[in-house]
Amino acid sequence: GKSGKEYSEIGSSSGLDPADPISTFMLGNLPYRVNAKNIFDALDRMGLKDACQYCYLPNADKRRPRATNLGYAFVKFKSVMHAADFVARFGDFHFSGMASAKRCTLKPASVQR
């Protein structure tokens, strides 16, 4: 497979190479008030909650009282097919109900396990 792929500009096609076993993604540009429940709720609405193996959302520094995260998270799926479905649906995602207009970016995590 190819290395260094960026998936921040994803359209309707997943853009994943089936030869690359990519199932873990870094979600970037998250609104700072998004929590893990918000991510799982979004996955549930997409029908992908059960396909998610784990979601890691680092907590914000206590010096940032309004922030609950650091602006990024990692999501791993049970299969490459679930991951491709996620990429096709989640690219440029916006969390509704947040005071932020931020749109999520996606890229494969540098470690795939």
Side-chain angles (χ1 to χ4, degrees):
K2 300 170 191 154
S3 62
K5 288 184 180 179
E6 293 287 330
Y7 292 99
S8 60
E9 306 254 340
I10 298 171
S12 60
S13 168
S14 72
L16 292 176
D17 180 345
D20 288 337
I22 298 170
S23 61
T24 307
F25 287 87
M26 178 180 169
L27 285 63
N29 203 38
L30 293 176
Y32 292 117
R33 291 195 178 183
V34 164
N35 59 38
K37 182 182 181 322
N38 298 133
I39 294 171
F40 280 117
D41 287 348
L43 292 173
D44 194 28
R45 286 191 300 276
M46 294 176 195
L48 293 169
K49 184 177 179 181
D50 292 336
C52 181
Q53 191 169 343
Y54 71 79
C55 172
Y56 172 65
L57 181 69
N59 291 328
D61 188 313
K62 291 179 181 175
R63 291 172 287 189
R64 297 173 66 187
R66 293 184 173 200
T68 60
N69 71 66
L70 297 176
Y72 64 92
F74 293 93
V75 178
K76 178 175 177 58
F77 290 90
K78 295 176 181 176
S79 76
V80 175
M81 287 184 55
H82 289 122
D85 195 17
F86 169 73
V87 168
R89 297 171 184 226
F90 208 82
D92 199 40
F93 184 82
H94 175 260
F95 283 93
S96 61
M98 298 284 155
S100 173
K102 287 183 172 183
R103 298 261 178 207
C104 296
T105 59
L106 292 176
K107 67 179 182 177
S110 57
V111 175
Q112 298 288 319
R113 294 185 188 187

